[in-house]
């Protein structure tokens, strides 16, 4: 398997991480979101994007978000607010396409998602769920998530309190 070299900075022509934004998953981009890929060894760490998009159509609380760096689609995340507690948001899907990993897009996308969730009135806690072997747990810890236990499927649950402005 050939992979791009991992170096600090970006590959030529890549949008800067500061250009990362979240957008709705729409009729115009859902196929592209569904086509995003993880590395083979990462595929068991998160549900597929097509499954997640379908799931969001039957869960009125799901908020699927396409992750763009400039005009380039680089990832996907999904969260909900108030499924079990109106003061709690849960990020339960988060992925960066294999071609764009290692360039800072994931960190900025997570920060954008946290800002978006913090803007929802009444949210006091943000949780994230992930497989215990997921190397992204270092990223989650670095922004303040603290592991509090596991769910019924064995996924780790980590929480971050929302600080009032």
């Amino acid at each position: 398997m050939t992979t791009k070299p991992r170096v600090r900075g970006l590959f030529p022509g890549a949008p800067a991480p500061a250009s990362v934004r979240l957008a709705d998953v729409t009729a115009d981009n859902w196929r592209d979101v569904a086509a995003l890929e993880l590395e083979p060894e990462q595929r068991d760490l998160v549900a597929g994007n097509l499954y997640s998009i379908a799931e969001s159509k039957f869960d009125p609380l799901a908020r699927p978000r396409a992750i763009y760096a400039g005009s380039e689609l680089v990832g996907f995340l999904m969260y909900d607010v108030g499924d079990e507690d109106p003061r709690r948001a849960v990020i339960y899907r988060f992925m960066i396409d294999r071609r764009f990993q290692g360039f800072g897009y994931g960190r900025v996308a997570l920060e954008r998602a946290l800002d978006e969730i913090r803007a929802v009135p009444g949210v006091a806690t943000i949780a994230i769920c992930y497989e215990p072997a997921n190397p992204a747990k270092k990223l989650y810890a670095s922004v303040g998530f603290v592991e509090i236990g596991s769910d019924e499927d064995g996924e780790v649950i980590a929480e971050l309190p929302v600080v009032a402005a």
Side-chain angles (χ1 to χ4, degrees):
M1 175 172 81
T2 304
T3 59
K4 64 184 177 304
R6 300 283 190 210
V7 295
R8 285 265 184 236
L10 301 173
F11 53 93
S19 71
V20 169
R21 63 184 170 83
L22 304 181
D24 291 334
V25 175
T26 66
D28 293 327
N29 69 4
W30 75 267
R31 286 178 183 85
D32 294 331
V33 171
L36 294 170
E37 295 182 342
L38 292 169
E39 295 289 357
E41 64 273 11
Q42 297 170 328
R43 291 183 185 146
D44 291 335
L45 298 177
V46 64
N49 294 349
L50 183 58
Y51 176 87
S52 298
I53 293 166
E55 182 180 20
S56 74
K57 298 306 171 191
F58 300 100
D59 179 354
L61 299 176
R63 299 180 189 196
R65 308 297 281 148
I67 303 168
Y68 286 90
S71 62
E72 188 79 47
L73 178 65
V74 300
F76 171 77
L77 69 86
M78 191 159 74
Y79 67 91
D80 70 35
V81 176
D83 184 34
E84 296 175 16
D85 177 347
R87 298 175 312 122
R88 187 168 195 247
V90 179
I91 300 169
Y92 53 101
R93 303 287 154 59
F94 181 48
M95 63 84 68
I96 299 296
D97 183 273
R98 63 186 180 81
R99 298 167 298 152
F100 300 103
Q101 293 179 12
F103 299 108
Y105 298 128
R107 173 173 296 282
V108 178
L110 181 58
E111 290 169 357
R112 299 283 192 271
L114 295 175
D115 290 343
E116 186 172 293
I117 295 167
R118 287 180 183 116
V120 176
V123 172
T125 304
I126 302 169
I128 193 162
C129 303
Y130 51 89
E131 291 291 332
N134 192 331
K137 64 185 174 184
K138 293 177 188 172
L139 169 62
Y140 307 145
S142 76
V143 298
F145 281 98
V146 176
E147 294 182 358
I148 62 160
S150 299
D151 67 11
E152 64 276 357
D153 297 322
E155 287 193 346
V156 174
I157 301 170
E159 289 186 341
L160 176 69
V162 172
V163 179

